Amino acid sequence: MTAIADLRETLTTVLGPAGVISDPVELRTYECDGLAGYRVVPSLVLLPTTTAEVAAVVRACHRAKVPFVARGAGTGLSGGALPVAEGVVISLQRMRALVEVDPANHRAVVQPGVTNLAISRAVASHDLYYAPDPSSQQVCTIGGNVAENSGGAHCLKYGFTTNHVLALETVLPDGSVVWLGGPSPEVAGPDLRGLMVGSEGTLGIVTGVVVRLLRKPEAVHTLLADFPSIEQAGNTVTDIIGAGIVPAAMEIMDQLAIEASEAAVGAGYTLETPAALVIELDGPADECGELFEAVQELCHRNGTTKIRVAADDAERARIWTGRKAAFAAVGRISPQYFVQDGVVPRTRLAEALGTIAAMGAEAGLRVANVFHAGDGNLHPLVLYDDARGEHERAEKLSKAIAELCVDLGGSLSGEHGIGTDKACSMPVMFGEDDLATMDRVRRAFDPDGLCNPGKVLPTPRLCGEKPGPYRPHPLEADGVIERL
Amino acid sequence: MSSSVSDRTSTGELPTVRPTDLAQARDAMRDAARAGHRVLVRGAGTAQSWGAPVEPVDVVVDTTGLDRLVAYNPADMTVAVGAGMTMADLQDRLKGQRVALDAARIPAGATVGGLLATGDGGPLRASYGTLRDLVIGITVVLADGTVARSGGHVIKNVAGYDLTKLFAGSLGSFGLVAEVVLRVHPRPEASRTLAVPCPVTAAVPVAGVVLSSPLEPVAVDWHDGRLLVRFEGTAAGAATRAEKARELLGRGEVLGGDSEEAAWSGLAALVRGEEGRTVLRAGTRPDQLAEFAELLGSLADRHGVTAALTAGVGVGVSTVALAGGTPAGHGAVLAAWRARVLAAGGSVTVHRAAEGVLESAPAWGPAPATAPLLRAIKQQLDADHRLAPGRFAPWF
Ligand SMILES: Cc1cc2nc3c(=O)[nH]c(=O)nc-3n(C[C@H](O)[C@H](O)[C@H](O)COP(=O)(O)OP(=O)(O)OC[C@H]3O[C@@H](n4cnc5c(N)ncnc54)[C@H](O)[C@@H]3O)c2cc1C
Ligand SMILES: Cc1cc2nc3c(=O)[nH]c(=O)nc-3n(C[C@H](O)[C@H](O)[C@H](O)COP(=O)(O)OP(=O)(O)OC[C@H]3O[C@@H](n4cnc5c(N)ncnc54)[C@H](O)[C@@H]3O)c2cc1C
């Protein structure tokens, strides 16, 4: 504990008293992220405001051999920002300056604590936007997005964070500061910027980000189509891709998810339909209109029972509200549930959903499905009731579903990351040598193992613990953000 | 048994192993490790001139036998191939789809693994990126024979570190890329290119007009006195947008078919370069194009060299071909131009150096701030420095 006491003294000199939190009650605010099942109270929380201060903090931790965890908005759903006991949390919340908006070069330079949506808002007057759009975008930070390689409903067409970041100012685990990447996508030598993206805060702390901005599309078309079965909705998605059309988004909801969503927000989805498909196209007006007609034709060919085309922005927003509300809304039909985030090859969606239904039936639990159909990213919601002793069964089912995705040739995580939550499942997806190679890379950055230890790669300590049930993020409960 | 590969392309007479599957690739690397042999990984061998000359090696591992189509799932928009398959071959096998990569060297037989290891890209990089953006999974064999996989077969995947990126641009110095899983896109129905005569100094503002319009060009490059703005999409859509762009700019000619093909292949020829030329690739902030082009022109004049430049205007990636003059002249232009690009935060990579150029100007500039990190990674993945020794000297 003396290491921490020393650190507190040193860092109070560097950051000022307002930059150091050590009050036990205040520290509890940082004990978990969006995955509330894991909680660890950190020894100190530090609130630097500049890169130099972050570097000073990391150097001090490095000298004292004290582990440190970066934290953005704490909306992570895989326990990535979970503190380490006897360690410090470095919150980037005070670094929220938009350093430079550079419309001529379609880019912006921002500090890590800037929220995803703030970037698009700041450049909207230039008809530009930042494409990756996690549904937590109102609050999650660009630093957290970089760490998680976040995606959103529109990443089928536009890609993930890694495709939209040009350069990262990074404080390495020894406290040195480097830029990864450069002013253009061209880099000389191995692409360390790309390695940093998605490394979940385990290779360094990002203190500056140069993002690429896109021109807003001329036209956007959105429709909601009902289908007699999930298979037919899925086949429509296949046919659309087969026709060479890449929509901005394609999302499927099953009956249970629709029922929940309607009860909560009443977006006008058809209650009795077994499946609904939301499709959004964007692009140049003429072409987009032509393709939108082709898409409707494909819906008809696959037996759609009803198509609702958004006539204006307000109606488009309503369709999306129904989709986005599904997660929180499931709480209305089930007291508790787990959210999963696995990916299957899109062509195996029907098989995956069939198996999940059978697994649910066998476990005696209901599973609602809401998913990014275009890229096979499932978010099954395993509903249960603790009072009826279903917790453990539900937890097992949820984990089994993630591992089923891997068996079907997919991935353990599509957008939420591995963090603390899924580290123990990593050996299902990767072999010993794969994991050892990732560990070698990690050691090149962080030989002392101080930078967000215990995340991503399995450790015996971690794998002895159990995740908790879904709990709404406080901002979710307040209706500020939604889970997609 | 070391023999020199100092001419950097003719590695043919060295002992060569040509694995035809992953197990053989692993054995080749493991055998080399046991014997303490230094290894050069080679694909089609057409980009062995990238970076610094490799020191003498004991064995070449030729990847061209790893040319199997492992899995193609059109409906998933993914394809998995051996890293030695040529990109041209792969494109031929895709039905109504493509790997959205148009690096200049593809027609010459560049392999998928070689293209990833060089981090190469063509004009389409403005909308699709380079292979680093299109590869969703890799299997590599490290120097000690360890076979490691990263990523997977689905386009959305955030499980574990994205090692693909580390191998993009690694020029064979971190390991052998044995298998690659790529994301494919629909092949567009049609394309049109608007060619607008304009000096390079006006390329950025002229391109800006189109880039800030909603016309969504897929590539905007300046080459040989013209801005080439390419549109892809439906037959009607591509033509309409090219025409709209022409109206917006008030001039230019819409090219299709052979004339369009010729415009872009002229650009590719410059990028590929030829014997006796020095070819450089630079990354800068896009709006610095005029400044760097002018500087290049005056440096070339001063040193009696001709300099041709082509640039991806919207992304800030330029390729320069130096010809004529003396090797020392090429070296002087390279050194002075690079110094200014680096001072502005950019980068310059040598893709080809005319004979004798590297005697006066090193292939790599001063070590970047990331050099200690690159060295640490090299140490972890190839502790004995047996792979492509010298390729990144003096960085690591
Ligand atoms: C309601 C809801 C909806 C969501 N929807 C989506 C979605 O659609 N798509 C999606 O991808 N995710 C989604 N998420 C998950 C989450 O919002 C994202 O992963 C987001 O990127 C996390 O950002 P954050 O600022 O909250 O990071 P945190 O949770 O604070 O941290 C996440 C990880 O990033 C690291 N980190 C944070 N800042 C830095 C930094 N500056 N440098 C280095 N490492 C850092 C942390 O150590 C941690 O490992 C959702 C979450 C919620 C609660
Ligand atoms: C007519 C023509 C001539 C050309 N001549 C040249 C030329 O002289 N100089 C030039 O710079 N470019 C040249 N090119 C461009 C070259 O073809 C491309 O740049 C391409 O990337 C090379 O791919 P490759 O398979 O030939 O790779 P190689 O040249 O075999 O390798 C390129 C680099 O990648 C590494 N590498 C290759 N495969 C793997 C793998 N599987 N795993 C790990 N590392 C790997 C190698 O070690 C090397 O560092 C030419 C192109 C054309 C059309």
Side-chain angles (χ1 to χ4, degrees), chain B residues 300-379:
Chain B
D301 286 348
R302 192 179 322 151
H303 296 282
V305 171
T306 60
L309 176 143
T310 178
V313 180
V315 286
V317 180
S318 310
T319 307
V320 169
L322 305 176
T326 60
H330 287 213
V333 175
L334 161 59
W337 197 63
R338 173 162 59 201
R340 289 282 286 277
V341 173
L342 291 186
S347 65
V348 174
T349 309
V350 175
H351 283 191
R352 172 197 297 268
E355 180 124 15
V357 172
L358 297 183
E359 281 155 32
S360 60
W364 298 102
T370 49
L373 197 52
L374 291 169
R375 268 177 228 132
I377 295 169
K378 176 74 171 172
Q379 186 64 30

Side-chain angles (χ1 to χ4, degrees), chain A residues 33-34 69-77 79-82 92-93 112-113 133-137 139-153 196 199-202 204-207 372 379 414-417 419 452 455 473 476 481-484, chain B residues 156:
Chain A
D33 61 8
V69 178
R71 179 184 174 100
T75 66
L77 293 172
L82 180 76
L92 285 313
Q93 281 287 358
D133 59 343
S135 29
S136 51
Q137 67 180 157
V139 282
C140 68
T141 68
I142 188 71
N145 290 177
V146 166
E148 300 289 356
N149 191 13
S150 295
M196 182 61 65
S199 61
E200 305 195 26
T202 63
I205 300 188
V206 171
T207 53
H372 307 297
H379 286 310
E415 55 183 15
H416 294 167
N452 208 3
K455 314 297 161 59
H473 188 274
E476 214 177 344
I481 54 175
E482 297 152 325
R483 207 174 276 221
L484 194 75
Chain B
K156 208 172 184 199

Side-chain angles (χ1 to χ4, degrees), chain A residues 191 202 215 347 377 440, chain B residues 76 132 144 149 156 161 212:
Chain A
D191 182 7
T202 63
R215 174 69 171 73
T347 42
N377 186 190
R440 287 196 204 182
Chain B
D76 291 329
R132 59 92 79 189
D144 60 7
R149 213 160 42 87
K156 208 172 184 199
Y161 295 155
S212 57

Side-chain angles (χ1 to χ4, degrees), chain A residues 15-331:
Chain A
L15 306 176
V20 180
I21 297 176
S22 55
D23 175 72
V25 177
E26 286 180 62
L27 287 176
R28 289 209 50 195
T29 311
Y30 295 86
E31 69 181 355
C32 67
D33 61 8
L35 182 77
Y38 293 100
R39 289 165 193 264
V40 175
V41 179
S43 294
L44 279 182
V45 173
L46 304 161
L47 304 162
T49 55
T50 63
T51 300
E53 287 182 359
V54 174
V57 171
V58 172
R59 264 198 311 276
C61 289
H62 185 244
R63 257 197 315 270
K65 302 282 173 264
V66 168
F68 51 92
V69 178
R71 179 184 174 100
T75 66
L77 293 172
S78 54
L82 180 76
V84 177
E86 310 293 302
V88 310
V89 165
I90 302 175
S91 164
L92 285 313
Q93 281 287 358
R94 290 194 180 172
M95 294 182 66
R96 31 175 83 226
L98 284 146
V99 180
E100 188 191 352
V101 173
D102 179 4
N105 288 306
H106 286 202
R107 69 196 54 207
V109 184
V110 301
Q111 288 192 325
V114 169
T115 65
N116 175 297
L117 194 61
I119 301 174
S120 288
R121 288 218 172 111
V123 301
S125 60
H126 303 284
D127 283 332
L128 298 172
Y129 75 111
Y130 175 68
D133 59 343
S135 29
S136 51
Q137 67 180 157
Q138 287 191 47
V139 282
C140 68
T141 68
I142 188 71
N145 290 177
V146 166
E148 300 289 356
N149 191 13
S150 295
H154 292 92
C155 56
L156 168 68
K157 178 169 175 186
Y158 292 104
F160 313 89
T161 303
T162 194
N163 307 114
H164 297 273
V165 162
L166 289 169
L168 299 172
E169 184 186 49
T170 306
V171 176
L172 295 175
D174 66 357
S176 58
V177 182
V178 293
W179 274 95
L180 310 178
S184 84
E186 173 77 15
V187 290
D191 182 7
L192 298 176
R193 157 196 59 188
L195 178 66
M196 182 61 65
V197 177
S199 61
E200 305 195 26
T202 63
L203 302 181
I205 300 188
V206 171
T207 53
V209 187
V210 182
V211 295
R212 209 161 67 87
L213 303 171
L214 298 187
R215 174 69 171 73
K216 279 191 209 156
E218 187 176 23
V220 182
H221 293 289
T222 310
L223 66 74
L224 171 68
D226 295 344
F227 287 91
S229 69
I230 289 254
E231 285 72 22
Q232 279 159 293
N235 290 341
T236 308
V237 172
T238 303
D239 288 354
I240 290 170
I241 288 180
I245 301 170
V246 182
M250 287 194 277
E251 308 278 317
I252 294 182
M253 287 165 76
D254 71 5
Q255 190 165 12
L256 197 49
I258 294 168
E259 188 189 317
S261 164
E262 276 305 299
V265 296
Y269 281 54
T270 312
L271 271 178
E272 52 289 350
T273 190
L277 172 60
V278 176
I279 304 175
E280 188 157 287
L281 292 188
D282 64 17
D286 296 1
E287 210 159 334
C288 197
E290 189 183 321
L291 296 178
F292 195 57
E293 278 176 25
V295 163
Q296 291 179 57
E297 172 55 32
L298 291 172
C299 289
H300 286 298
R301 242 188 267 166
N302 282 289
T304 182
T305 48
K306 181 176 161 195
I307 292 185
R308 174 172 151 204
V309 173
D312 52 26
D313 285 350
E315 193 170 3
R316 175 177 8 270
R318 222 165 29 250
I319 291 179
W320 277 111
T321 302
R323 164 65 182 84
K324 291 190 185 186
F327 280 73
V330 165

